[in-house]
Amino acid sequence: MLSLIQILLMIVSIVWYVVIAHVVMSWLINFQVLNLRQQLVAQIWYGLERLLGPIYSRIRSFLPPMGGLDLAPLVLLLGLMAIRIVLINNASSFY
């Protein structure tokens, strides 16, 4: 059972880094450091959008409109931190 918790923690960590990469890439695109006309950048961006879009849309459905400020990644990161804390705190009960 401990290995299951470790696998879940690894998945949470991977999702954490994917969300961070998406946020940083969106900033770089908005500040015109990266250009979506470059094929590699466009493929990575659209892949991340397709991966995280369904998760963000569910979070955005219950968030109030903030006028151009997207808090969905922040809510997702806070949720991932909460899941990580719950998994770590309850890991000792599975020994």
Side-chain angles (χ1 to χ4, degrees):
M1 197 63 157
L2 184 62
S3 60
L4 179 64
I5 290 178
Q6 289 174 340
I7 291 170
L8 290 174
L9 284 171
M10 181 182 63
I11 291 170
V12 167
S13 296
I14 289 170
V15 174
W16 174 273
Y17 287 117
V18 168
V19 171
I20 294 293
H22 184 256
V23 168
V24 169
M25 194 167 179
S26 71
W27 289 344
L28 292 175
I29 289 171
N30 285 331
F31 290 122
Q32 298 177 355
V33 175
L34 293 178
N35 190 352
L36 286 177
R37 290 185 213 131
Q38 297 172 346
Q39 186 178 8
L40 179 64
V41 173
Q43 286 178 347
I44 294 171
W45 176 251
Y46 293 126
L48 289 174
E49 281 288 317
R50 290 185 69 189
L51 189 65
L52 295 172
I55 301 169
Y56 286 165
S57 66
R58 290 186 182 162
I59 294 172
R60 288 179 188 129
S61 68
F62 67 85
L63 286 177
M66 298 293 290
L69 184 62
D70 187 16
L71 295 178
L74 177 64
V75 172
L76 180 59
L77 289 175
L78 289 174
L80 289 172
M81 286 173 55
I83 291 170
R84 183 174 173 83
I85 289 170
V86 167
L87 287 173
I88 290 173
N89 288 341
N90 292 321
S92 63
S93 63
F94 293 110
Y95 284 122

